[in-house]
Amino acid sequence: MDKVKNGREYWLDALRGLAMIFVIAGHSGLPMQVSNVIYFFHMPLFFFISGYLEKSKNDSFKTVLIKRGKRLIYPYFVYGSMIVIYNTIYYYRTTNDVARGILKRIVALIYGNFIFENNYAYIGTLWFLVASFGVSILFYWFHQTKSKWKYSVCIILVGFTETWLERKLHFRLPWCFDIAMVAFSFSAAGYFFKAYTSKVSNGEIRIWKGIILGILGVLMGCLNTQYMIAKNYTLIRTDMLYLNWGYIPLFLFSGISIAVSFSIISKFIFSKHRILILESIGRNSLTIMVVHLYIIQIVSRILGKTNIPAKSWLVFLIGLVISIFVSRVIEKYFPYLND
């Protein structure tokens, strides 16, 4: 029996918390063999969950803009402004051109995607918020169409074609709409997965099926890594921000299979046994998504001066604990940052 209160499925909070832990691990400089596997699925899993939770079927376009704007765009600019200030202070010692640095960060924040040499250094993980907003817009039109499968396939094909052109032309769409079209594939998978599970009994979705899907997804991800090595990719890992897919069918199969796997296993476990810390991380995932990168940056800088073994794992653990603490503080004392 699923534990549900006020329409909230706690196992989904726990799953999102687990996904957030993987994101922090992926950014902590862990050994490449570990981080590459995490990159197979950590962001696809987040978009998959958002598709599973998609409930805007009866909303007008204006309502979608207002709801998602409040949830995603408001914190994007609030946290983005703080990040501009933080980065300006952090890099103060590395350049004398402070005024130009501030201007580039403001422009990067407004554009919401790569416009300079490396926007990741300017807006960090905020790209996820604007990409999610783009997915919400795509879902509005998704609900207006009669053939949702055809619409989904069309968006996915256009998305991958457009991102291929972008890499050739060295141009990116504003507000990460290029990523949104690709991310829609995982969100649509989450939506269809929920539709499927609502029609079958829990007994038909057994945990062993989830385990097999997960193993297959990891194997396909490993094959994709070998493909990138064979084709002399500069970045040997899948990365949604950098539009680095490798072999697209393997990228999609790997991400969706692992996302479905985690969903099946998490529902089986967390519907019966609540893990409150995971649920808390899941509920505060937006805040943690934004702040953890800079916490890890500071922790790495401090530990970088030591000779502690397994340093990256320690960075991950300390970064995780501090990120959870900071999210709790923001939730309690500064809730307006998210609302």
Side-chain angles (χ1 to χ4, degrees):
M1 189 78 178
D2 292 353
K3 288 183 170 63
V4 179
K5 184 177 180 181
N6 298 326
R8 194 175 192 102
E9 299 179 79
Y10 291 122
W11 72 269
L12 275 171
D13 285 332
L15 176 59
R16 188 155 43 192
L18 195 60
M20 191 65 250
I21 291 173
F22 281 122
V23 169
I24 296 174
H27 292 153
S28 298
L30 298 182
M32 187 174 65
Q33 298 89 335
V34 177
S35 62
N36 279 6
V37 172
I38 291 173
Y39 270 81
F40 292 166
F41 65 88
H42 69 331
M43 295 317 299
L45 179 56
F46 260 107
F47 287 112
F48 183 92
I49 294 170
S50 70
Y52 189 97
L53 293 170
E54 168 59 32
K55 296 177 181 177
S56 64
K57 183 177 181 179
N58 299 317
D59 289 342
S60 66
F61 188 64
K62 180 180 178 181
T63 300
V64 171
L65 290 179
I66 293 174
K67 281 185 177 180
R68 304 307 286 173
K70 182 180 179 182
R71 174 62 180 162
L72 298 168
I73 301 305
Y74 171 74
Y76 172 81
F77 281 109
V78 169
Y79 284 115
S81 300
M82 295 179 182
I83 290 171
V84 168
I85 296 171
Y86 168 83
N87 279 331
T88 300
I89 296 172
Y90 185 83
Y91 292 106
Y92 175 75
R93 295 181 179 180
T94 64
T95 175
N96 294 321
D97 196 0
V98 178
R100 183 168 174 264
I102 294 174
L103 180 61
K104 290 179 74 172
R105 293 183 184 103
I106 293 173
V107 172
L109 179 66
I110 294 171
Y111 194 73
N113 205 341
F114 277 73
I115 191 170
F116 300 118
E117 61 275 8
N118 183 359
N119 263 31
Y120 191 67
Y122 296 109
I123 63 174
T125 51
L126 288 176
W127 71 267
F128 174 73
L129 302 187
V130 284
S132 296
F133 183 77
V135 171
S136 299
I137 302 302
L138 293 173
F139 257 115
Y140 170 78
W141 296 110
F142 171 87
H143 291 306
Q144 311 307 310
T145 60
K146 293 182 179 179
S147 179
K148 292 178 171 49
W149 280 101
K150 290 181 180 178
Y151 173 86
S152 300
V153 171
C154 181
I155 291 297
I156 294 167
L157 290 175
V158 170
F160 281 111
T161 302
E162 194 277 333
T163 54
W164 177 80
L165 287 173
E166 284 189 7
R167 288 199 298 271
K168 297 292 183 181
L169 300 174
H170 302 289
F171 172 78
R172 299 288 297 270
L173 294 181
W175 280 28
C176 291
F177 199 71
D178 43 11
I179 302 175
M181 286 189 285
V182 173
F184 183 78
S185 59
F186 302 110
S187 292
Y191 181 88
F192 288 126
F193 178 72
K194 183 177 182 179
Y196 169 73
T197 55
S198 66
K199 295 178 182 178
V200 301
S201 64
N202 287 337
E204 294 183 47
I205 307 177
R206 300 185 182 279
I207 193 170
W208 64 264
K209 295 181 180 180
I211 294 172
I212 290 175
L213 272 175
I215 293 171
L216 287 174
V218 171
L219 289 175
M220 293 303 103
C222 290
L223 283 176
N224 198 18
T225 300
Q226 292 305 311
Y227 172 85
M228 288 187 278
I229 293 172
K231 293 294 183 179
N232 297 316
Y233 274 52
T234 303
L235 182 62
I236 309 298
R237 74 172 186 223
T238 55
D239 195 307
M240 296 190 70
L241 177 61
Y242 290 91
L243 311 182
N244 203 59
W245 324 122
Y247 187 57
I248 292 172
L250 290 176
F251 166 71
L252 289 175
F253 184 90
S254 176
I256 292 173
S257 295
I258 298 176
V260 172
S261 171
F262 271 111
S263 298
I264 293 173
I265 296 171
S266 295
K267 189 171 186 179
F268 181 85
I269 296 174
F270 301 136
S271 291
K272 300 175 182 178
H273 309 284
R274 292 185 62 183
I275 310 296
L276 297 181
I277 184 62
L278 282 180
E279 292 177 18
S280 177
I281 296 171
R283 288 193 300 271
N284 292 288
S285 59
L286 186 149
T287 302
I288 296 174
M289 178 71 78
V290 175
V291 305
H292 81 273
L293 200 65
Y294 305 98
I295 292 170
I296 286 174
Q297 187 182 63
I298 294 171
V299 173
S300 297
R301 193 175 182 86
I302 294 172
L303 293 183
K305 300 176 181 179
T306 69
N307 295 317
I308 299 174
K311 196 177 300 180
S312 61
W313 289 100
L314 192 57
V315 168
F316 162 56
L317 292 173
I318 295 175
L320 174 62
V321 171
I322 297 177
S323 296
I324 294 171
F325 173 77
V326 170
S327 72
R328 292 278 187 87
V329 171
I330 291 175
E331 179 186 33
K332 185 174 182 179
Y333 297 104
F334 308 98
Y336 52 84
L337 291 177
N338 296 328
D339 298 326

